[in-house]
Amino acid sequence: MVGIIGTGVIAEAHLKAYLALPDRCQVVALCDIFPEKAQGLKEKYGLDAAEVYGDYDEMLKRPDISLVSVCTPPFTHLPASTACMRAGKHVLVEKPMALSLAECDEMIAVQKETNTYLGVVCQNRFTRENQILKALIDSKTAGRVLFGQVESFWYRGHSYYDLWWRGTWEKEGGGCTINHGVHQIDLLNWIMGPPETVTAVLANAAHDNAETEDLSAAILTYKSGAVVTLAVNLVTHGQYQRLAFQCEKAGISSPYQVRSSRSTDTGFPVDDPETVAELEKVRESIPKLERESHEAQIERVISFMEKGEIHSEDSADGRVALEVITAIYQSGFTKSTVRLPLGKDSLLYDKNGINENGTLAAEIRRNLSDVKNKGSVLAEKESTSAGYIRLSYQR
């Protein structure tokens, strides 16, 4: 039996996935602080047997519920998930896992204490395009990765941030990097593992009603010597997402594209159809997926439960995604390169560090904009403000 906490847009993706598995699960509870939203979802999908709640603590008293999807805003993920686990329920929480690494660590500690399952939504791992990309790189047919490009390009209008909790460091924990780029960052970690260093720039180009960034660009380096550029924004017309890796023998992308070159005696390239043919054989050997996206991930979670498995690495993967995001923010705030892993002494380890430095960065941006608009000199203000952030980093 399944319960869903939060009945906004993303809850429908979970609900449709559960409804696609009628012989293995049943949604019996919908919870939202606005019960009329939950009632509307119940009626839309004809969930006659589901009960509506306005308080998840009441819902969690039900002994028949064994799995809960947490589909609420990021600032509620910690309390909602830990309440579920302490009530003996398994949990699948939407991305990002939490607002800070400290919150992730608390969630994982409760998971271990209660011996429950804690999964973080990473639905893009469960698409054929991305599974092909990972399989081709894992096969080593193209050789090792030399360079990667990750592009998470979206379009969101100014009014997107009119919703009360969006665009604030306190409630969202950041802007496009944590809430949109998290998908591609998770895929990058899945394929490459965590980076060694992160150097990043943050900006707000078009959403002055948000404290947070609507654009970030980062360079990630890896122990293997590979370098990856990672760009996220909310200002791309014709939004799209892409991962591309240039390997020793070929370039491979998702959406699927393969191109291979070999060197002539003069060093200039010519096409290498033989390597492309080898990669095509690998691609053709990958079985087609019966299910994709949320449906595939939820089917996997239910299979774990049926077998009595916990799979703690699922929560660990969610934490690693947030660790890379945190490093991007720390680098952007301090204007310096950040090394991973991040410890408890990190500037942004907990929510207070994120709020303080994020709010300060937003204030600096507003002040600089005001000064620039008045035609005054920027250098002294920028130096003083950036210096304050650097001092915070060193404390």
Side-chain angles (χ1 to χ4, degrees):
M1 300 296 180
V2 176
I4 298 176
I5 300 176
T7 55
V9 173
I10 199 62
E12 292 201 47
H14 288 244
L15 181 54
K16 289 176 182 177
Y18 290 123
L19 293 176
L21 301 164
D23 298 332
R24 301 172 69 184
C25 63
Q26 181 182 4
V27 176
V28 296
L30 298 171
C31 179
D32 200 290
I33 58 172
F34 302 105
E36 61 274 15
K37 285 178 60 181
Q39 183 65 33
L41 197 64
K42 171 181 174 175
E43 293 173 3
K44 179 178 179 179
Y45 286 91
L47 304 176
D48 297 335
E51 191 167 349
V52 168
Y53 296 85
D55 181 347
Y56 61 68
D57 287 327
E58 286 300 312
M59 187 190 84
L60 295 176
K61 292 177 182 178
R62 290 184 56 162
D64 59 329
I65 294 175
S66 56
L67 173 63
V68 177
S69 277
V70 176
C71 302
T72 50
F75 68 95
T76 66
H77 288 180
L78 169 66
S81 296
T82 53
C84 291
M85 290 185 284
R86 288 196 167 108
K89 319 300 184 186
H90 300 295
V91 175
L92 180 63
V93 61
E94 263 297 335
K95 57 77 192 169
M97 181 176 177
L99 288 184
S100 70
L101 295 176
E103 290 189 350
C104 289
D105 289 342
E106 185 174 344
M107 291 164 71
I108 291 171
V110 173
Q111 174 191 17
K112 292 176 180 177
E113 169 195 326
T114 57
N115 197 36
T116 51
Y117 172 80
L118 173 61
V120 182
V121 170
C122 53
Q123 79 272 19
N124 286 1
R125 294 188 184 192
F126 297 88
T127 68
R128 180 165 171 78
E129 290 280 339
N130 291 328
Q131 292 202 356
I132 286 171
L133 176 64
K134 179 171 170 58
L136 290 176
I137 291 176
D138 287 350
S139 75
K140 306 297 183 184
T141 305
R144 68 181 178 89
V145 173
L146 306 176
F147 173 60
Q149 295 166 279
V150 179
E151 297 163 338
S152 184
F153 293 167
W154 308 78
Y155 185 89
R156 293 293 183 270
H158 194 269
S159 59
Y160 178 76
Y161 282 110
D162 289 344
L163 188 61
W164 64 278
W165 55 268
R166 281 188 186 145
T168 65
W169 292 100
E170 180 184 4
K171 302 298 185 185
E172 269 204 300
C176 62
T177 312
I178 191 171
N179 289 295
H180 295 80
V182 62
H183 295 292
Q184 278 64 46
I185 290 169
D186 174 73
L187 289 174
L188 177 62
N189 292 337
W190 184 47
I191 292 168
M192 294 285 293
E196 283 196 320
T197 70
V198 173
T199 308
V201 174
L202 307 173
N204 184 308
H207 298 84
D208 58 8
N209 56 341
E211 297 176 352
T212 55
E213 86 290 351
D214 63 7
L215 186 156
S216 69
I219 299 173
L220 287 62
T221 67
Y222 292 81
K223 187 176 181 179
S224 67
V227 174
V228 172
T229 61
L230 167 65
V232 187
N233 74 63
L234 301 182
V235 299
T236 296
H237 300 275
Q239 58 184 15
Y240 67 93
Q241 292 75 52
R242 184 177 78 111
L243 288 89
F245 295 94
Q246 303 305 320
C247 305
E248 292 171 302
K249 299 179 182 179
I252 311 168
S253 303
S254 174
Y256 181 72
Q257 185 177 31
V258 168
R259 185 72 183 266
S260 179
S261 301
R262 59 179 175 79
S263 176
T264 62
D265 292 341
T266 59
F268 286 88
V270 293
D271 288 344
D272 180 4
E274 290 81 9
T275 297
V276 171
E278 290 178 26
L279 288 164
E280 284 292 335
K281 287 180 183 177
V282 175
R283 180 193 183 205
E284 291 169 4
S285 70
I286 300 168
K288 291 187 177 180
L289 303 176
E290 183 180 349
R291 306 180 191 279
E292 293 196 30
S293 195
H294 279 84
E295 188 176 316
Q297 183 167 8
I298 283 174
E299 194 276 335
R300 178 174 173 267
V301 172
I302 291 172
S303 293
F304 290 162
M305 293 173 60
E306 291 170 344
K307 298 173 185 175
E309 299 174 351
I310 298 300
H311 286 263
S312 58
E313 66 268 19
D314 285 7
S315 54
D317 285 352
R319 187 193 187 282
V320 172
L322 190 64
E323 184 174 23
V324 173
I325 291 165
T326 302
I328 290 171
Y329 286 143
Q330 184 166 314
S331 176
F333 291 160
T334 62
K335 304 183 188 304
S336 64
T337 295
V338 174
R339 296 195 69 86
L340 280 76
L342 299 178
K344 292 184 178 180
D345 59 346
S346 165
L347 173 67
L348 306 183
Y349 176 72
D350 62 23
K351 189 166 61 175
N352 289 335
I354 294 168
N355 290 344
E356 290 172 8
N357 288 276
T359 302
L360 176 61
E363 181 182 349
I364 291 168
R365 187 180 71 241
R366 285 193 296 269
N367 290 343
L368 288 172
S369 178
D370 289 344
V371 172
K372 184 176 181 180
N373 289 339
K374 293 174 182 177
S376 300
V377 177
L378 301 176
E380 183 178 352
K381 179 70 179 178
E382 185 172 18
S383 175
T384 302
S385 301
Y388 180 88
I389 298 179
R390 284 196 289 271
L391 287 172
S392 298
Y393 174 63
Q394 292 167 357
R395 69 188 175 196

